[in-house]
Amino acid sequence: MKPVVAHAASSEQDEARFLEVLDRATGAIRSAGMPFVVIGGIASAAQGRPRWDPRGADVDLFVRAEDAEAAMHALSQAGFGTEQGEPHWVLRAARHGVTVDVIFRAAGDLYLDDEMLSRVEKREFRGRILPLVSREDLLVMKALAFGEQTPSYWHEALGIIARGELDWDYVLYRARHGMRRVLSLLVYAQSNDLPVPPRAVRELFDLTEGGTEAEPWTEQGRTLPTT
């Protein structure tokens, strides 16, 4: 039993350290007065499949491109070590071995815009309420960012779809950043008997083939920003 007890204690320490970093990071960004949303593994656990492991976990904060440097300054002032990261899409900070990614450009040239901010979902994660990116935006992010280094992303996306009640018109609107990738994900989800409306698949297929009929955001007169 001793190894089991030791493992449990280590896991609790990892989680406590992670949550302390999460609280400090989100508090610093809030105090700086800039909008942000939480994405990544935290959002996936809160809005899809609840399984989450603090070991090796990081904090992913999505900010506006013009706020990225100010966000890093706020984290530095809060006691984080900072580094350049990959300056075309993410800057990085760290504290107590936990990395905070300040992301300002997601896969598919997705940026934090007013429409995304208007759809923020405040959800509970480990006893704190966080501003999470909407499930629709997270679904598209997972579809577009899936790759060799991120093999779990599509399975996390399936967890989001399994929860149901998605705004499929908005999913189609965001899917223009990578229509074939999102279409592939939705067909795969259907093969797993998940609740994907056939209309969504048909409309994305028509758009990938050059059709123009299935554009609900234009038909409804929505004037959404281009990101």
Side-chain angles (χ1 to χ4, degrees):
M1 291 298 293
K2 287 184 179 180
V4 175
V5 173
H7 176 74
S10 175
S11 181
E12 290 176 0
Q13 291 170 359
D14 289 340
E15 180 165 335
R17 181 170 57 251
F18 180 89
L19 294 177
E20 188 273 330
V21 171
L22 171 63
D23 291 341
R24 184 177 287 265
T26 55
I29 303 301
R30 284 194 184 100
S31 296
M34 64 191 67
F36 73 97
V37 293
V38 179
I39 61 175
I42 292 175
S44 296
Q47 304 196 99
R49 292 174 174 161
R51 187 171 63 180
W52 176 80
D53 189 340
R55 292 174 300 176
D58 58 9
V59 177
D60 294 315
L61 305 180
F62 198 34
V63 304
R64 294 182 303 193
E66 61 266 31
D67 291 335
E69 292 292 346
M72 291 297 286
H73 178 72
L75 291 173
S76 177
Q77 294 294 105
F80 285 80
T82 61
E83 60 181 81
Q84 190 66 9
E86 299 180 47
H88 61 288
W89 71 279
V90 61
L91 304 178
R92 291 195 168 93
R95 180 178 171 85
H96 299 325
V98 177
T99 298
V100 177
D101 284 340
V102 176
I103 299 167
F104 54 90
R105 173 178 170 266
D109 275 343
L110 277 170
Y111 293 89
L112 182 62
D113 57 27
D114 291 340
E115 180 75 6
M116 198 177 291
L117 286 168
S118 74
R119 291 173 169 269
V120 167
E121 300 185 20
K122 293 188 176 180
R123 297 287 185 92
E124 186 273 340
F125 176 79
R126 295 300 195 271
R128 58 262 306 135
I129 302 299
L130 299 173
L132 305 181
V133 69
S134 74
R135 290 182 301 137
E136 292 83 4
D137 284 307
L138 185 61
L139 173 65
V140 173
M141 286 180 175
K142 293 294 182 183
L144 300 185
F146 170 80
E148 184 178 356
Q149 302 301 318
T150 53
S152 68
Y153 279 14
W154 269 28
H155 294 288
E156 293 169 5
L158 295 185
I160 296 166
I161 294 172
R163 296 279 288 268
E165 298 181 1
L166 291 167
D167 181 345
W168 287 101
D169 281 346
Y170 183 67
V171 171
L172 293 176
Y173 162 67
R174 284 296 186 195
R176 75 196 190 285
H177 290 269
M179 291 185 291
R180 288 176 176 80
R181 180 65 68 89
V182 176
L183 174 60
S184 299
L185 171 64
L186 297 188
V187 172
Y188 179 58
Q190 284 186 328
S191 77
N192 283 271
D193 295 323
L194 294 179
V196 175
R199 175 183 69 87
V201 172
R202 285 197 303 270
E203 291 183 2
L204 269 182
F205 179 79
D206 287 342
L207 289 171
T208 61
E209 294 302 305
T212 58
E213 295 181 1
E215 293 192 65
W217 50 88
T218 339
E219 293 168 5
Q220 296 173 12
R222 297 175 69 179
T223 54
L224 302 182
T226 300
T227 58

